[in-house]
Amino acid sequence: MSNNEITGRIPPELAGNSSRLQRLDLSSNHLIGEIPQELGKMKALSSLNLSHNQLSGRLPSEIGKFSNLRELDLSANNLTRPIPEQLGDCFKMIYLHLGKNRFNGSIPKRMGNLISLQLLMDLSHNQLLGEIPSEIGQLHSLEILSLSHHVLFGFIPSSLEKMLSLTSIDISYNELEGPIPKIKAFEDAPREAFTHNKALCGNAAKGLPSCNSSMIEKRNTEKKHMLVIYILLPILSAMFLLFILIGIAFAFQRKAKKKIEMGQTERIDQGDLFAICRYDGRIVHENIIEATENFDDKHCIGKGAYESLYKATLSTGQVVAVKKLHPLQEDAEMVNKKHFTNEIHALTEIRHRNIVKFYGFCSHVWHSFLVYEYLERGSLAKILGDVRGQQIWIGSRE
């Protein structure tokens, strides 16, 4: 339907009812508005020509869904905004014309993925800026490249020297500088292909000055810098990722350690405070002081000349016997301490089923005590006393 007087917008319904359409040509009409994103549904499309209209707005990113697209011509419209990166997904494309629009931003690096491009890549007469991406040098089959009338600056990438299929090049009206690539397309290009740039050099026959050593050195330095960037960037990214992983691992480790500690405390609350694998003297001491209410007499179950015996029910429910030494005068204190130490040594070296189990001790300026297994039936003296009393009572009855 090209070269007519068609007006209005492109109907989105066109895509829904044309899923098998392979070629669509609406060029040279009076179409307005944006390119409908629904066109991305036309999976079979191999050629799309909407050139020489008055289309505006952005080029939809859905353009990348045209997996079979070989020819795309959107030239001579009023399309704006950056060229979508997704255009680089049209791997089968051999012809691309986006010239004479108002595209801005930089040339997408992913356009270097269009390795099937052969006939034309025309991005001229837009508002593109920045450097020419080195990825363009991957288009080894491309014959015609036009990048004129932009605000492209910097050096022409040396990767373009690999584009041996180039027959025509136009980089005029930019801000490019430095040597031009040493391939036939650049050497045979007319003078007009290089005019109105900042400081191109290298082809005297085309009116370009020869490249001095400082210019070449500057370009080589930039290449080295780019090489360093390409090397360092992955390394730094990997190191950054490694630091993040280490940080996450450290955080998880601390969290796990905290859970273990909490679990251990919980198990201590529910088990044997004197088990070696979970023993904590501070916790045991606090439990005993709390259980005896700081050795209140109501918990006392026996007294001797040098010590008192207390029954302590710990927070775990475990019941122990605590023998607390009496505070004495200085001389007696020395004797008492010696007795205390001797008992500790004896109980730590002797283990027998008929000797009460010794759990531990506390030696402190405020109080010293020993902790034993609690026996429900009381002391041996009490039991023997009760037996003797019963014998006397029986004897009196007789």
Side-chain angles (χ1 to χ4, degrees):
M1 293 184 284
S2 62
N3 293 285
N4 281 287
E5 299 291 330
I6 300 173
T7 59
R9 300 173 181 269
I10 300 174
E13 295 81 6
L14 178 66
N17 299 323
S18 310
S19 59
R20 298 177 61 185
L21 187 65
Q22 295 183 16
R23 296 177 60 87
L24 176 59
D25 189 349
L26 296 173
S27 61
S28 300
N29 281 287
H30 302 289
L31 297 173
I32 61 171
E34 296 188 354
I35 299 173
Q37 61 184 21
E38 287 79 4
L39 290 185
K41 298 177 182 178
M42 303 171 72
K43 305 294 186 182
L45 205 63
S46 64
S47 178
L48 176 62
N49 191 343
L50 303 177
S51 64
H52 295 87
N53 279 285
Q54 300 167 32
L55 299 172
S56 58
R58 66 182 182 89
L59 175 58
S61 59
E62 285 76 12
I63 194 74
K65 296 180 179 180
F66 290 135
S67 56
N68 293 306
L69 192 63
R70 294 172 58 83
E71 300 175 3
L72 178 63
D73 191 346
L74 303 177
S75 61
N77 279 286
N78 294 310
L79 298 174
T80 58
R81 301 188 186 181
I83 299 172
E85 291 275 352
Q86 290 80 357
L87 185 61
D89 296 334
C90 300
F91 303 117
K92 295 183 180 181
M93 192 176 299
I94 63 172
Y95 179 96
L96 176 63
H97 197 343
L98 301 179
K100 296 182 179 178
N101 278 284
R102 291 188 291 152
F103 287 114
N104 52 40
S106 58
I107 299 174
K109 293 182 178 181
R110 282 171 61 181
M111 292 189 73
N113 296 338
L114 301 175
I115 55 176
S116 296
L117 270 179
Q118 179 181 349
L119 303 178
L120 173 71
M121 178 176 170
D122 190 340
L123 305 180
S124 64
H125 293 84
N126 279 284
Q127 300 170 13
L128 302 177
L129 66 140
E131 297 184 343
I132 300 174
S134 60
E135 288 78 4
I136 296 297
Q138 300 173 16
L139 309 179
H140 298 162
S141 301
L142 187 62
E143 297 176 0
I144 302 175
L145 176 63
S146 181
L147 301 174
S148 66
H149 294 82
H150 294 296
V151 195
L152 301 175
F153 54 80
F155 291 89
I156 300 173
S158 58
S159 60
L160 268 63
E161 293 180 352
K162 299 178 182 178
M163 301 175 68
L164 301 179
S165 296
L166 273 181
T167 59
S168 176
I169 179 73
D170 189 354
I171 54 174
S172 60
Y173 292 89
N174 282 289
E175 297 293 326
L176 299 169
E177 59 181 311
I180 61 173
K182 295 179 180 180
I183 57 174
K184 187 174 177 59
F186 281 87
E187 293 174 351
D188 294 347
R191 180 180 300 181
E192 291 76 15
F194 305 110
T195 58
H196 294 87
N197 273 286
K198 186 176 180 180
L200 290 174
C201 63
N203 193 335
K206 305 302 179 185
L208 299 176
S210 60
C211 297
N212 54 42
S213 56
S214 61
M215 185 70 74
I216 296 173
E217 182 64 27
K218 185 178 178 182
R219 183 188 182 189
N220 291 338
T221 302
E222 274 204 11
K223 287 170 66 178
K224 289 178 182 177
H225 288 167
M226 290 301 296
L227 183 61
V228 169
I229 290 173
Y230 285 137
I231 294 173
L232 285 181
L233 191 59
I235 295 174
L236 292 175
S237 300
M239 289 179 66
F240 180 69
L241 182 60
L242 180 62
F243 286 138
I244 291 176
L245 292 175
I246 290 173
I248 293 172
F250 182 71
F252 273 111
Q253 186 179 13
R254 287 188 62 184
K255 190 174 181 181
K257 185 177 180 182
K258 188 174 180 181
K259 283 184 177 180
I260 291 171
E261 289 175 352
M262 291 174 64
Q264 286 178 342
T265 304
E266 187 177 338
R267 287 196 298 272
I268 285 173
D269 291 341
Q270 298 173 355
D272 185 0
L273 278 172
F274 299 97
I276 292 174
C277 63
R278 63 187 67 157
Y279 182 76
D280 188 328
R282 180 181 56 82
I283 294 176
V284 175
H285 179 271
E286 290 175 357
N287 266 262
I288 289 173
I289 299 300
E290 184 180 348
T292 61
E293 298 180 62
N294 201 16
F295 298 105
D296 191 281
D297 286 342
K298 67 182 179 182
H299 296 284
C300 184
I301 57 175
K303 287 190 177 183
Y306 298 102
E307 65 272 318
S308 296
L309 191 64
Y310 295 84
K311 178 182 178 181
T313 303
L314 305 180
S315 60
T316 61
Q318 186 178 6
V319 181
V320 295
V322 182
K323 184 192 289 186
K324 181 179 178 294
L325 272 67
H326 295 162
L328 301 172
Q329 299 297 326
E330 187 174 347
D331 293 339
E333 181 72 19
M334 294 295 293
V335 176
N336 204 20
K337 281 288 184 183
K338 186 175 181 181
H339 171 73
F340 178 73
T341 305
N342 289 339
E343 186 169 354
I344 290 170
H345 284 303
L347 291 171
T348 53
E349 294 172 3
I350 298 172
R351 287 288 184 272
H352 193 275
R353 63 180 181 177
N354 293 333
I355 297 178
V356 68
K357 187 183 291 184
F358 176 59
Y359 286 134
F361 68 94
C362 170
S363 179
H364 196 274
V365 292
W366 291 345
H367 46 237
S368 297
F369 57 80
L370 300 116
V371 185
Y372 300 90
E373 178 184 11
Y374 178 74
L375 301 177
E376 292 288 345
R377 295 179 63 190
S379 68
L380 181 61
K382 180 177 182 300
I383 293 174
L384 291 175
D386 290 344
V387 170
R388 185 178 177 185
Q390 291 173 5
Q391 289 174 341
I392 293 171
W393 180 75
I394 292 171
S396 63
R397 284 187 66 187
E398 293 174 350

